[in-house]
Amino acid sequence: MIEIKNIHKSFSKNEVLKGVDLVIPEGNAIAVLGPNGSGKTTLIKSILGMVLPNQGEIFLNTRNIKKGWEYRKQIDYLPQIANFPNNLKVFELIKMIKDIRGGDIANENKYIDLFSLHPFLNKKLGNLSGGTKQKVNLVLAFMFDSPIIILDEPTSGLDPVSLLVLKDIILEQKVKGKTLLISSHIMSFVEAVCDKVMFIWEGKIYFNGTIADLKNETNEDDFEHAIAHLLKNAHA
Ligand code: ADP
């Protein structure tokens, strides 16, 4: 379980998070939604310890994350923008990440197969298309089989077949009882894979509940319209 208590984060005068409280129970798949620049990545990076909040606490299984970095071993993370070294080959990158992660067992071959990446293993990352780089990013995110998975814009650049593969992988993780936090602008994807959504607006959590709750609250049958309704209300 991840507990976020009263997180505030400013970048100089830009107050991005203004008191975020959130509980992410084990085994839930939660979508982090909100307009561009609303603080989704800042919140995700706060959980990972990559951004230090100005105020507030984050607990992973009741332990304050400030107490040590080891908790990160329980988390697999897909960054929104993966700045891979251009001169490295795909197989070299995978090996490097395995070396850095130390003793953890990786099942990279399963994901290399699923995303049909074999023809690219010997290619330099700088020569890959955006979509292929994203597939490599996804292999790195899933291969350690950790109990918590945080995916920042996982659908970015993926073709329809890879999108289906990704959906199946996420559904499989859910069956395994993993906890997932996913940011995405693709509402059909969110609806297919997430149980709950939270919507960040003006630095706070504006909505937190199931997709059915959101549809009820906004009186909209369709998820995309329900989100649009939420945005319109937030702007009013
Ligand atoms: P989202 O993921 O919702 O698009 P972000 O969390 O990336 O939003 O950004 C929220 C705000 O914080 C934006 O205004 C962004 O410019 C600012 N921001 C994010 N990271 C930094 C940083 N390292 N330094 C300064 N400003 C930042």
Side-chain angles (χ1 to χ4, degrees):
M1 182 172 70
I2 302 169
E3 272 179 286
I4 295 168
K5 291 191 178 162
N6 196 28
I7 288 295
H8 290 250
K9 178 64 191 177
S10 301
F11 295 103
S12 36
K13 284 190 182 147
N14 183 8
E15 268 188 278
V16 180
L17 302 178
K18 301 180 193 169
V20 169
D21 289 293
L22 182 70
V23 174
I24 306 168
E26 224 170 274
N28 271 224
I30 298 192
V32 188
L33 308 178
N36 290 330
S38 57
K40 301 180 294 293
T41 300
T42 302
L43 180 66
I44 284 173
K45 287 189 174 174
S46 300
I47 297 171
L48 294 161
M50 293 164 72
V51 159
L52 296 179
N54 304 107
Q55 197 185 317
E57 310 286 349
I58 301 177
F59 299 85
L60 182 77
N61 298 331
T62 71
R63 192 179 157 86
N64 194 322
I65 63 166
K66 280 188 199 149
K67 291 238 162 86
W69 56 269
E70 295 85 358
Y71 79 95
R72 294 186 196 160
K73 287 223 161 217
Q74 298 178 54
I75 304 177
D76 286 336
Y77 168 53
L78 177 101
Q80 186 174 14
I81 298 165
N83 281 322
F84 298 135
N86 282 339
N87 275 329
L88 222 55
K89 292 180 176 172
V90 173
F91 83 88
E92 290 170 336
L93 174 71
I94 294 171
K95 184 177 177 309
M96 187 180 88
I97 299 294
K98 280 167 64 174
D99 288 346
I100 291 172
R101 189 93 172 201
D104 291 1
I105 295 163
N107 54 358
E108 72 271 25
N109 285 329
K110 169 178 171 178
Y111 297 104
I112 289 169
D113 285 346
L114 284 171
F115 285 115
S116 308
L117 280 172
H118 282 288
F120 300 96
L121 290 179
N122 229 351
K123 294 213 154 68
K124 287 188 175 170
L125 286 146
N127 296 336
L128 300 184
S129 72
T132 306
K133 268 191 209 163
Q134 181 67 351
K135 291 184 212 170
V136 174
N137 202 10
L138 286 161
V139 171
L140 300 176
F142 287 113
M143 69 184 188
F144 292 109
D145 210 12
S146 303
I148 300 169
I149 303 171
I150 299 181
L151 306 172
D152 200 351
E153 294 288 347
T155 62
S156 174
L158 291 185
D159 58 64
V161 174
S162 310
L163 198 57
L164 278 179
V165 171
L166 174 62
K167 273 187 200 166
D168 285 344
I169 292 173
I170 292 177
L171 295 175
E172 186 195 357
Q173 308 303 313
K174 285 176 67 176
V175 171
K176 286 185 178 174
K178 297 198 186 183
T179 308
L180 292 113
L181 195 60
I182 303 172
S183 93
S184 176
H185 290 294
I186 313 293
M187 292 304 121
S188 56
F189 174 76
V190 167
E191 197 167 17
V193 299
C194 292
D195 314 299
K196 287 188 188 158
V197 297
M198 53 160 252
F199 191 89
I200 306 185
W201 171 253
E202 301 263 302
K204 294 204 169 192
I205 301 212
Y206 187 74
F207 176 86
N208 182 13
T210 64
I211 293 174
D213 290 340
L214 178 67
K215 288 179 180 173
N216 267 336
E217 214 166 280
T218 54
N219 245 332
E220 301 279 1
D221 296 333
D222 172 83
F223 181 45
E224 270 184 339
H225 283 92
I227 289 290
H229 194 129
L230 204 62
L231 262 173
K232 224 173 18 191
N233 283 354
H235 278 107

